[in-house]
Amino acid sequence: MSTELFKVGDIVKASYKSGEYIGEIVQYSEPKAVVKILAVLKHPEQGDLHHPMEVDVPMFHQRRALAFQERALIPLSSIQLYPYQVPGYNTSLKEALETEMALLHKTELWARRCQEELASLQQEYF
């Protein structure tokens, strides 16, 4: 009886760096698998992951999503079976990018409102 969690050909959800993808296992060798990218679930985050929300860092990283059919070596701990229909790559990339941009916009609006409230409190306090 095999103790392998996955097999070649399995469709999986895989976390890679700060993005999430749907892909197909094309090579399996514990503790990692080579995954061929088929769709994007979450676009990678921008900036320095070790200094989140900081803009004045030595290297502010621009992270691209993995390309259609690009292969990535991913730890098995970051992979799980994906039982749903695989969306088209371009559609999924567009949705993931728009979701990431909307989240950043919401964070920007929240931060602006917090600044307004703190400025009001500052006037009240002092």
Side-chain angles (χ1 to χ4, degrees), residues 28-82:
Y28 179 88
S29 179
E30 288 195 42
K32 297 182 179 185
V34 177
V35 176
K36 178 174 69 173
I37 303 305
L38 302 175
V40 182
L41 290 172
K42 180 187 178 300
H43 195 277
E45 296 175 18
Q46 306 304 297
D48 186 340
L49 298 179
H50 299 290
H51 299 94
M53 305 296 286
E54 294 290 328
V55 294
D56 294 324
V57 292
M59 178 82 153
F60 193 94
H61 297 273
Q62 180 189 66
R63 290 187 183 77
R64 298 178 66 83
L66 295 175
F68 180 63
Q69 295 192 350
E70 183 173 351
R71 285 155 170 75
L73 184 61
I74 302 176
L76 296 178
S77 60
S78 297
I79 297 173
Q80 61 189 90
L81 289 174
Y82 187 78

Side-chain angles (χ1 to χ4, degrees), residues 64-122:
R64 298 178 66 83
L66 295 175
F68 180 63
Q69 295 192 350
E70 183 173 351
R71 285 155 170 75
L73 184 61
I74 302 176
L76 296 178
S77 60
S78 297
I79 297 173
Q80 61 189 90
L81 289 174
Y82 187 78
Y84 310 105
Q85 184 172 347
V86 179
Y89 179 83
N90 287 337
T91 300
S92 70
L93 175 60
K94 184 175 191 256
E95 288 177 6
L97 182 61
E98 288 173 351
T99 298
E100 189 71 14
M101 291 173 75
L103 178 62
L104 290 173
H105 180 69
K106 185 176 179 180
T107 302
E108 180 183 20
L109 294 174
W110 175 82
R112 193 174 306 129
R113 178 65 189 267
C114 287
Q115 288 176 328
E116 291 168 4
E117 297 301 326
L118 290 172
S120 175
L121 287 171
Q122 185 179 35

